[in-house]
Amino acid sequence: MSTIILKGNIIHTPSRTHFECIPHGYLVSENNQIQGIYTELPEQYKNIPVQDYKDRLIIPGLCDMHVHAPQFVYRGLGLDLQLMDWLNHYAFPTEARFQDLSYARIYYEAFADAMAKNGTSRAVIFGTLHAPATELLMEILEQKKIAAYVGKINMDTLSPDYLCETPEGSLAATEQWILDTKDRFHYVQPAITPRFIPTCSSEVLKGLGELASKYDLHIHSHISEDLGEMGIVRERYPQYDNDGEVYDHFGLLNDKTVMAHFIYPTDRELELMKQRGVTIAHCPQSNGNVAAGIPPIRRMLDMGIKVGLGSDIAGGYSICILRAMADAVYLSKLKWLESKKQDSFLTIPEVFYLGTKGGGQFFGKVGSFEPGYELDAMVVDDSSLGTPADCLTLEERIERVIHLADDRNFTARYVAGEAAL
Ligand SMILES: [Zn+2]
């Protein structure tokens, strides 16, 4: 039996309303199942070594619910452009280069290293349309112990000539890649990943829905991100008045689906997401950068729709999900103003919950330290952040970490019951 005992200031959010903080507590996991948090170590564990992190903070591993691995190459560039201009100028030409496996290896290694250093335990990731490079990305994530659903993306229409598949070629390559990878890894699984509705013909969307069902796979895409994108979808599918019903028509919405953005949902579409059990990946930094809009996250939470956070590299420039937490509060305040102070803004415990347990539920019992959950944890040394820690409560210390910490403050990482940094 593998027992891990971590000691330190333990902080998590079993519910989204408040933090549970245990100063100088013991977190015990047996065979990747959390047994409990204790202020005194129970007798039966007395002979087992304790990893003592002293005054540091121990928090659940972070979950990045929407990120584009190839776009790591140009993160921080083109942030004064709108979505379609940004895609044509940066995203598509860069993604085309991932046909070259030696190029892919350099940037996918850098991407996975950055994720690990920034405390991400779990992620849902876009690759490119190239199956070999996407398989390489999966190998690298497995080595670095990042548990992930990874997608070879599909694009067979309204895409540049140099980055466009035929419908039959797209579906055949996707099925072969699924067969090659679905049983190959411990931490990493393939996910069905249409880029978004505009770049996929109805033939491809239909085929992807069938593949998701045939192999019981998770599904990842974008929904209602931008008014331009939504206009294309309305024109192509005039019988539907929203993106959600189009995806649903092709069998792509269920409780294994994560959809990024959802900025302009209709009432019917919100109800549909709730009924189907879809998780929404909220990517606040990206929504602001590409001037897409502000999604009604408060409304989704009030309705009981599942929500996690995404970095959306490179629409977002920071790969750290703590930054997404801070940005989620910030953006929700603008929404509060936009709604004439009707939609109350998000609280610090709420955004922490979204970045841990909110996304974690997509992977099973992940993102919390409650008994029965998997052991994903990050250790944070906040001693360099300024104010002496003994002047602050643990709630204040984690709030300060959310706003001020970066990878220099993260000192250990555990994923699925194993040390990973
Ligand atoms: Zn995206």
Side-chain angles (χ1 to χ4, degrees):
M1 180 179 301
S2 151
T3 302
I4 294 177
I5 305 175
L6 310 181
K7 183 167 188 251
N9 293 308
I10 298 165
I11 302 174
H12 68 149
T13 41
S15 82
R16 66 181 164 90
T17 54
H18 65 280
F19 287 112
E20 185 174 280
C21 301
I22 299 88
H24 304 293
Y26 297 87
L27 175 63
V28 178
S29 160
E30 289 180 3
N31 293 332
N32 189 28
Q33 268 221 338
I34 290 173
Q35 303 299 301
I37 304 169
Y38 309 96
T39 48
E40 295 287 331
L41 193 61
E43 196 57 39
Q44 71 261 38
Y45 301 121
K46 285 272 154 76
N47 294 324
I48 295 169
V50 173
Q51 187 68 49
D52 187 353
Y53 288 110
K54 308 217 180 281
D55 196 42
R56 292 174 187 170
L57 310 179
I58 301 174
I59 65 175
L62 305 176
C63 300
D64 189 339
M65 301 308 291
H66 178 67
V67 55
H68 298 253
Q71 297 182 10
F72 187 75
V73 174
Y74 63 91
R75 68 198 185 289
L77 296 176
L79 294 169
D80 51 0
L81 298 177
Q82 284 198 0
L83 180 64
M84 295 316 285
D85 294 337
W86 180 84
L87 284 171
N88 287 319
H89 195 79
Y90 285 101
F92 295 149
T94 305
E95 289 185 22
R97 298 197 66 182
F98 282 75
Q99 193 169 3
D100 174 353
L101 281 178
S102 55
Y103 181 89
R105 180 175 292 282
I106 292 167
Y107 285 102
Y108 282 162
E109 291 266 4
F111 165 77
D113 279 339
M115 284 209 123
K117 275 189 201 154
N118 281 281
T120 298
S121 300
R122 313 263 170 169
V124 194
I125 304 175
F126 265 57
T128 60
L129 55 73
H130 314 100
T134 306
E135 192 166 343
L136 174 64
L137 170 62
M138 296 168 88
E139 283 170 26
I140 291 169
L141 292 163
E142 177 83 3
Q143 283 163 15
K144 312 271 183 196
K145 292 185 182 165
I146 293 169
Y149 295 110
V150 177
K152 170 223 167 313
I153 67 178
N154 303 88
M155 303 168 68
D156 73 313
T157 186
L158 212 63
S159 307
D161 292 345
Y162 59 84
L163 205 63
C164 192
E165 307 165 290
T166 62
E168 314 76 48
S170 181
L171 292 172
T174 301
E175 184 158 23
Q176 187 57 54
W177 162 76
I178 292 166
L179 292 169
D180 290 344
T181 59
K182 73 185 174 60
D183 299 317
R184 220 188 120 187
F185 304 107
H186 174 61
Y187 292 107
V188 182
Q189 292 288 318
I192 293 293
T193 310
R195 182 177 203 113
F196 61 166
I197 297 171
T199 63
C200 294
S201 64
S202 49
E203 186 181 346
V204 160
L205 290 175
K206 177 171 178 286
L208 292 177
E210 288 164 1
L211 286 174
S213 166
K214 181 175 177 184
Y215 295 104
D216 194 23
L217 296 177
H218 286 70
I219 298 160
H220 178 203
S221 196
H222 301 92
I223 191 165
S224 308
E225 178 175 7
D226 171 88
L227 293 171
E229 168 258 306
M230 292 165 65
I232 294 168
V233 179
R234 290 304 84 74
E235 216 165 272
R236 199 179 295 170
Y237 298 98
Q239 66 273 44
Y240 299 114
D241 75 351
N242 60 70
D243 287 15
E245 286 177 340
V246 177
Y247 281 124
D248 197 47
H249 170 75
F250 292 112
L252 290 163
L253 293 189
N254 59 50
D255 62 359
K256 292 182 144 191
T257 302
V258 60
M259 285 283 164
H261 307 307
F262 209 32
I263 294 173
Y264 300 101
T266 66
D267 290 349
R268 278 218 327 248
E269 205 176 12
L270 283 163
E271 204 50 56
L272 181 64
M273 293 300 143
K274 188 183 171 184
Q275 277 172 16
R276 296 285 184 266
V278 171
T279 298
I280 300 301
H282 175 38
C283 308
Q285 193 176 74
S286 164
N287 295 163
N289 284 340
V290 299
I294 309 175
I297 300 299
R298 168 61 66 210
R299 200 164 161 217
M300 294 181 209
L301 294 176
D302 286 348
M303 286 182 68
I305 293 172
K306 294 184 276 188
V307 180
L309 295 179
S311 65
D312 197 15
I313 292 288
Y317 50 82
S318 171
I319 203 165
C320 184
I321 290 300
L322 292 178
R323 183 61 201 260
M325 293 177 188
D327 289 339
V329 174
Y330 181 81
L331 205 65
S332 75
K333 287 177 175 163
L334 298 181
K335 189 70 180 172
W336 176 69
L337 289 171
E338 185 191 81
S339 71
K340 307 226 172 343
K341 305 187 180 177
Q342 293 303 303
D343 291 359
S344 59
F345 44 81
L346 301 176
T347 66
I348 298 295
E350 281 180 320
V351 295
F352 187 87
Y353 177 95
L354 297 184
T356 54
K357 192 175 176 182
Q361 52 74 31
F362 192 73
F363 301 87
K365 292 189 113 181
V366 168
S368 176
F369 294 144
E370 293 158 83
Y373 273 66
E374 294 193 51
L375 178 66
D376 280 14
M378 179 163 80
V379 180
V380 186
D381 180 353
D382 63 343
S383 59
S384 66
L385 296 183
T387 320
D390 58 5
C391 299
L392 301 174
T393 64
L394 287 179
E395 284 89 346
E396 288 171 327
R397 284 175 65 184
I398 191 62
E399 181 173 359
R400 190 175 60 165
V401 162
I402 287 169
H403 289 96
L404 301 178
D406 59 31
D407 57 354
R408 291 167 292 187
N409 300 99
F410 307 149
T411 52
R413 189 174 73 101
Y414 294 82
V415 177
E418 289 191 34
L421 191 69

